[in-house]
Amino acid sequence: MNPLFLEAIQRQTEYMTRRHFLSKCTTGIGAMALASLTGCFADKKSSQEQVSGIVRDLSRPFAPLPSHFAPKAKRVIFLHMAGAPSQLELFDYKPELQKLDGQLCPPSLLEGKRFAFIKGVPKMLGPQAQFKQYGQSGAWVSHHLPEFASMVDDVSFLKAMHTDQFNHAPAQLLIQTGNARLGRPSMGAWVTYGLGSENENLPGFIVLLSGGKAPDAGKAGYGSGFLPTVYQGVECRSKGEPVLYVANPEGMDRDLRKASLQAINDINRIQHEETGDPETISRISQYEMAFKMQISVPEVMDSKDEPQWVHEMYGTEPGKSSFANNCLLARRLTERGVRFVQLFDWGWDSHGNDPSNALDKGFSTLCHNIDKPITALLKDLKMRGLLDETLVVWGAEFGRTPMQENREGKQMEFKGRDHHTEAFTVWMAGGGIKSGYTHGETDEIGYYGIKDRTDIYDLQATILHCLGFNHEKLTYPFQGRNFRLTDVHGKVITKILV
């Protein structure tokens, strides 16, 4: 007999014998008696729960669910430039800063401030880019993004975004999970928990990485936290096996895999009947989803069937790992009903401590790598009638300083900027967002937001609003209180909404 079946039979007998009960459960008999008297076991076997006023079937975690009100967007594509590109070289044009180039930084900009690397008194650094105004909106875009400049009338810029975290991992956690510490559900997990998915054969939340490394926050940046684990982001790859370990093991065909998963899930159902633990139902759903993904994921991740003009528009090379490939995959995934697609592109930490991350060197290459694919993604969604119901968000965890970084107080060979929390730029496009609009303004050197400042929680509240959620009511009970993505903060940025 196959070893998998033998193991399944052994596991099942462990749950069905008096010996198992007497050896494992004697210390809990008193607690069981007390629970029966207090009603703690009431409805334990139910596979339904009611949270935030919505009754959900735990056995179908991705079944579509209603939002609080009619949404403008059905899905989200979040483009996170991990490491934080300089807004002063891309969108926030500051000619006054150019006049200060090379001068010592005024003490007023340093007193009481904390920086990741700046020590002593750094020099001011003028923009390392040439800017022009584009479109009817007259938005400023630098020469680093010439193709994206053609799309400014389709986006809204948030120019005075700020955060309170100046190190990468905590700042990435804050923008993605609403908290700078580990353990909270990510935005994609909240969205798929609240809305389900339009395709139950694919995960509701998919993550695509590029740049050669994962973001500093790691998998916690797209985890499920205290939500059922089925809502965590599933990392897919554009090169090699789309999802690690989802294929059948050597020597096992699909029928045998189905039979083994059925046996495992039968055991899990017995366990759920005994314990009532909803995470057991989540585990069953994950096994079933993995089996479905063996067919659905390779099909959607293989972009070779796209017309040649599409590949030319995105600059894609099928079979390779790249940001361009991930942008095309994002369109394919949303087209098939995936609720939240998260792209992380690593490498934007422009300190200037080596050529690869210097504003006058490697930064241009990074911008070139994203310019064409992002523009193609927006155009493609628009051509297919998907942009009106797809919210596209571009941004990072914080911004960069108007001063040149002087690591350890020393003049650096290459030009770079330190982490900056007071002001950076995020842009949004698509479902529910105004076209050709700029919200917020920074001072003449791009140091502080001086008009219509917004923060991370405002951004999160606005994203949820576009999806039809009141961010204060999308909650989950944990450790004695209701938690939400925005915690006790956040206001919807109504001025950028249509």
Side-chain angles (χ1 to χ4, degrees), residues 126-196:
Q128 303 299 298
Q130 293 79 50
F131 281 81
K132 290 183 181 179
Q133 288 180 287
Y134 293 89
Q136 294 183 351
S137 61
W140 291 96
V141 180
S142 83
H143 77 281
H144 289 302
L145 299 177
E147 301 219 22
F148 173 77
S150 66
M151 301 301 294
V152 294
D153 286 340
D154 290 280
V155 308
S156 275
F157 293 94
L158 300 172
K159 288 286 189 72
M161 182 69 66
H162 70 280
T163 181
D164 61 6
Q165 298 295 321
F166 65 86
N167 284 322
H168 293 292
Q172 290 169 5
L173 286 173
L174 181 60
I175 194 170
Q176 293 298 336
T177 75
N179 196 284
R181 289 172 291 279
L182 299 170
R184 296 292 182 89
S186 59
M187 193 185 315
W190 276 112
V191 170
T192 50
Y193 172 76
L195 287 178

Side-chain angles (χ1 to χ4, degrees), residues 20-305:
H20 164 73
F21 177 81
L22 293 173
S23 64
K24 302 293 185 182
C25 305
T26 52
T27 57
I29 291 177
M32 292 171 62
L34 178 61
S36 65
L37 293 173
T38 58
C40 291
F41 284 165
D43 200 30
K44 277 287 188 179
K45 297 181 182 180
S46 174
S47 63
Q48 290 186 336
E49 69 174 2
Q50 182 169 341
V51 178
S52 301
I54 298 174
V55 177
R56 63 182 68 242
D57 183 352
L58 296 176
S59 65
R60 296 181 62 223
F62 294 119
L65 294 169
S67 52
H68 297 144
F69 50 85
K72 295 285 184 157
K74 294 182 178 180
R75 60 194 74 90
V76 176
I77 299 174
F78 197 119
L79 310 169
H80 188 138
M81 306 295 103
S86 172
Q87 75 282 4
L88 297 168
E89 271 66 44
L90 294 178
F91 306 116
D92 206 10
Y93 178 47
K94 297 298 172 185
E96 290 300 315
L97 182 60
Q98 188 63 57
K99 298 176 183 179
L100 298 174
D101 186 55
Q103 298 183 26
L104 291 178
C105 179
S108 60
L109 300 182
L110 304 174
E111 293 172 355
K113 299 296 183 182
R114 298 178 66 192
F115 300 97
F117 293 99
I118 284 178
K119 302 292 183 184
V121 181
K123 293 182 179 180
M124 305 301 291
L125 180 64
Q128 303 299 298
Q130 293 79 50
F131 281 81
K132 290 183 181 179
Q133 288 180 287
Y134 293 89
Q136 294 183 351
S137 61
W140 291 96
V141 180
S142 83
H143 77 281
H144 289 302
L145 299 177
E147 301 219 22
F148 173 77
S150 66
M151 301 301 294
V152 294
D153 286 340
D154 290 280
V155 308
S156 275
F157 293 94
L158 300 172
K159 288 286 189 72
M161 182 69 66
H162 70 280
T163 181
D164 61 6
Q165 298 295 321
F166 65 86
N167 284 322
H168 293 292
Q172 290 169 5
L173 286 173
L174 181 60
I175 194 170
Q176 293 298 336
T177 75
N179 196 284
R181 289 172 291 279
L182 299 170
R184 296 292 182 89
S186 59
M187 193 185 315
W190 276 112
V191 170
T192 50
Y193 172 76
L195 287 178
S197 179
E198 295 177 310
N199 187 339
E200 293 189 56
N201 292 322
L202 287 169
F205 177 20
I206 288 182
V207 179
L208 302 169
L209 306 181
S210 58
K213 292 184 180 180
D216 295 78
K219 296 183 185 299
Y222 47 93
S224 60
F226 46 71
L227 293 177
T229 53
V230 72
Y231 297 110
Q232 67 188 353
V234 174
E235 184 182 331
C236 292
R237 307 186 303 165
S238 57
K239 179 181 180 181
E241 190 177 358
V243 180
L244 291 176
Y245 311 119
V246 77
N248 290 326
E250 186 176 352
M252 175 180 283
D253 60 23
R254 187 163 174 79
D255 290 338
L256 182 56
R257 178 65 170 256
K258 182 177 181 180
S260 64
L261 292 180
Q262 183 63 51
I264 292 171
N265 281 346
D266 287 344
I267 295 169
N268 285 330
R269 290 186 181 92
I270 293 171
Q271 187 175 35
H272 178 256
E273 290 176 2
E274 292 183 349
T275 65
D277 184 359
E279 186 60 29
T280 306
I281 296 293
S282 179
R283 190 189 312 151
I284 293 171
S285 301
Q286 286 172 315
Y287 277 122
E288 293 174 345
M289 174 59 72
F291 187 71
K292 296 175 183 177
M293 285 167 58
Q294 288 186 317
I295 300 297
S296 58
V297 169
E299 183 273 328
V300 72
M301 298 296 288
D302 186 358
S303 62
K304 293 178 182 177
D305 61 344

Side-chain angles (χ1 to χ4, degrees), residues 2-30:
N2 187 282
L4 285 171
F5 286 116
L6 288 174
E7 182 180 353
I9 293 171
Q10 182 179 353
R11 287 283 305 279
Q12 188 173 29
T13 57
E14 289 178 357
Y15 285 103
M16 298 178 65
T17 64
R18 286 176 294 176
R19 181 179 299 172
H20 164 73
F21 177 81
L22 293 173
S23 64
K24 302 293 185 182
C25 305
T26 52
T27 57
I29 291 177

Side-chain angles (χ1 to χ4, degrees), residues 303-308 310-311 328 331-332 335 384:
S303 62
K304 293 178 182 177
D305 61 344
E306 293 283 348
Q308 184 59 31
V310 170
H311 289 296
L328 177 54
R331 189 268 287 166
R332 290 172 62 87
E335 198 173 33
R384 296 169 189 270

Side-chain angles (χ1 to χ4, degrees), residues 308-489:
Q308 184 59 31
W309 67 267
V310 170
H311 289 296
E312 292 174 357
M313 181 170 67
Y314 280 88
T316 50
E317 297 180 73
K320 292 189 176 182
S321 177
S322 69
F323 180 77
N325 281 8
N326 288 350
C327 283
L328 177 54
L329 291 175
R331 189 268 287 166
R332 290 172 62 87
L333 290 165
T334 54
E335 198 173 33
R336 289 160 174 79
V338 174
R339 188 69 71 182
F340 202 102
V341 183
Q342 176 75 62
L343 275 66
F344 287 104
D345 188 51
W346 183 87
W348 291 90
D349 200 13
S350 303
H351 288 289
N353 55 310
D354 64 56
S356 67
N357 65 12
L359 293 172
D360 51 346
K361 300 287 182 180
F363 185 76
S364 295
T365 301
L366 292 170
C367 293
H368 175 77
N369 290 342
I370 69 166
D371 186 31
K372 190 172 184 177
I374 289 177
T375 306
L377 176 62
L378 294 174
K379 288 182 177 179
D380 203 4
L381 290 171
K382 193 173 181 178
M383 284 189 298
R384 296 169 189 270
L386 293 171
L387 187 58
D388 287 342
E389 56 185 32
T390 304
L391 179 62
V392 182
V393 184
W394 181 98
E397 58 266 30
F398 42 62
R400 315 302 297 199
T401 59
M403 304 85 80
Q404 181 173 356
E405 184 171 319
N406 62 338
R407 189 165 296 194
E408 299 179 355
K410 300 176 182 179
Q411 180 75 31
M412 298 177 69
E413 180 180 357
F414 303 102
K415 294 179 179 179
R417 304 184 188 275
D418 203 353
H419 307 169
H420 191 52
T421 64
E422 295 288 349
F424 61 104
T425 300
V426 169
W427 60 256
M428 306 170 73
I433 299 298
K434 279 183 183 177
S435 298
Y437 179 71
T438 294
H439 183 79
E441 181 183 345
T442 56
D443 60 27
E444 61 185 6
I445 62 171
Y447 194 93
Y448 290 109
I450 59 174
K451 179 183 178 182
D452 291 329
R453 294 178 81 226
T454 50
D455 64 20
I456 298 301
Y457 301 108
D458 299 334
L459 175 65
Q460 293 164 344
T462 305
I463 291 172
L464 292 180
H465 179 87
C466 291
L467 292 165
F469 286 116
N470 179 335
H471 72 102
E472 296 180 349
K473 294 183 179 180
L474 181 60
T475 61
Y476 188 84
F478 179 66
Q479 293 184 340
R481 77 172 178 94
N482 287 335
F483 283 80
R484 69 182 205 233
L485 173 63
T486 52
D487 197 29
V488 296
H489 312 279

